[in-house]
């Protein structure tokens, strides 16, 4: 194996900024999606798992959840919930998909629903702040053990945010394992996890299952044949 530095576990937090703009109906949302800064779409479509309430909801982004809860529009909620920003090249492409989805939906409705007072979509921008935890793991086994205890925000940084940093190609765990010379099947299995549609505790469970399966197979391969 190549001499590779231990894996450094990084944690993160969000610095949020309210823009003082609210939306009460779908036409206002469409105008906002067309014109808000990129950081707003990043917050509401990509950084939702970092919100404390995220695990309580079925939908993977704020827009889909708001259409379900505030507008009582399950059809649009499902359409927006199926948009996976991590499979798009960038924010411009994400913006275009959202605009097209909302416009198509508006063409097919007789009237535009309004939300009840107090249920407006509050537009927020955010910036991700990352910092090292001081923990370093030297081996794949140690990494598997660390995944079980690291914070959910670390999981977000090393999987969700890593996909953004690498142009949608990979997460930090699998790229380190690949550099270390780990089994390609393990690397491929981690990269195959459809993480965007999982909450962070579900992501932890998926990663743990992948490592357990790999180590079980490796253990079987090392047993002497009768």
């Amino acid at each position: 194996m190549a001499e590779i530095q231990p894996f450094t576990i990084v944690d993160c937090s969000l610095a949020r900024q309210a823009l003082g703009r609210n939306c009460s109906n779908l036409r206002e949302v469409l105008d906002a999606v067309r014109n808000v800064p990129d950081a707003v779409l990043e917050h509401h479509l990509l950084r939702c798992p970092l919100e404390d309430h995220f695990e309580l909801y079925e939908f993977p982004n704020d827009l889909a959840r708001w259409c379900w809860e505030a507008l009582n529009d399950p059809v649009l909620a499902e359409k927006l919930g199926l948009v996976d920003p991590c499979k798009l090249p960038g924010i411009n492409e994400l913006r275009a998909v959202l605009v097209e989805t909302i416009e198509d939906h508006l063409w097919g409705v007789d009237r535009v629903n309004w939300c009840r007072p107090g249920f407006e979509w509050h537009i927020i921008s955010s910036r991700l702040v990352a910092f090292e935890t001081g923990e370093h793991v030297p081996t794949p086994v140690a990494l598997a053990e660390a995944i079980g205890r690291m914070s959910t925000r670390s999981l977000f940084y090393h999987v969700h945010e890593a996909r953004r940093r690498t142009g949608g190609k990979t997460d930090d765990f699998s790229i380190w394992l690949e550099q270390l010379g780990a089994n390609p099947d393990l690397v491929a299995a981690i990269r195959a996890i459809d993480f965007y549609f999982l909450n962070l505790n579900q992501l932890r469970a998926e990663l743990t299952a992948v490592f357990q399966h790999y180590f079980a197979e490796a253990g079987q391969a090392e047993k002497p044949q009768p």
Side-chain angles (χ1 to χ4, degrees), residues 16-153:
R16 301 172 182 81
Q17 179 183 11
L19 300 190
R21 180 178 178 181
N22 303 325
C23 297
S24 300
N25 63 62
L26 198 53
R27 292 198 185 279
E28 293 177 354
V29 170
L30 177 59
D31 181 68
V33 169
R34 283 176 172 152
N35 299 296
V36 292
D38 290 353
V40 170
L41 296 184
E42 290 175 353
H43 178 81
H44 289 291
L45 274 295
L46 290 157
R47 293 175 179 161
C48 305
L50 290 175
E51 300 292 354
D52 293 335
H53 61 253
F54 181 77
E55 291 194 31
L56 301 176
Y57 296 102
E58 176 182 354
F59 298 102
N61 64 67
D62 286 341
L63 270 181
R65 179 175 61 84
W66 185 79
C67 287
W68 174 274
E69 287 190 334
L71 292 186
N72 193 27
D73 191 334
V75 175
L76 180 58
E78 184 175 350
K79 290 177 181 177
L80 292 172
L82 292 174
V83 175
D84 186 350
C86 300
K87 293 182 178 177
L88 296 170
I91 292 297
N92 288 337
E93 290 78 10
L94 172 59
R95 191 188 303 271
V97 169
L98 294 174
V99 167
E100 181 180 4
T101 301
I102 296 171
E103 282 182 338
D104 286 349
H105 187 76
L106 281 170
W107 276 107
V109 298
D110 297 327
R111 63 185 180 87
V112 177
N113 288 350
W114 287 67
C115 70
R116 291 173 289 167
F119 284 80
E120 295 85 359
W121 178 41
H122 300 277
I123 297 178
I124 297 174
S125 174
S126 67
R127 183 168 59 91
L128 191 78
V129 180
F131 50 91
E132 293 188 9
T133 64
E135 183 175 3
H136 307 274
V137 293
T139 66
V141 172
L143 177 59
E145 293 172 348
I147 284 172
R149 65 175 182 272
M150 69 176 59
S151 73
T152 53
R153 293 174 183 267

Side-chain angles (χ1 to χ4, degrees), residues 149-162:
R149 65 175 182 272
M150 69 176 59
S151 73
T152 53
R153 293 174 183 267
S154 287
L155 292 174
F156 179 89
Y157 179 83
H158 289 301
V159 178
H160 288 253
E161 193 65 21

Side-chain angles (χ1 to χ4, degrees), residues 199-214:
N199 66 48
L200 294 174
N201 280 314
Q202 290 171 331
L203 173 59
R204 188 198 307 277
E206 288 282 332
L207 288 166
T208 299
V210 167
F211 275 104
Q212 288 176 342
H213 176 75
Y214 165 75

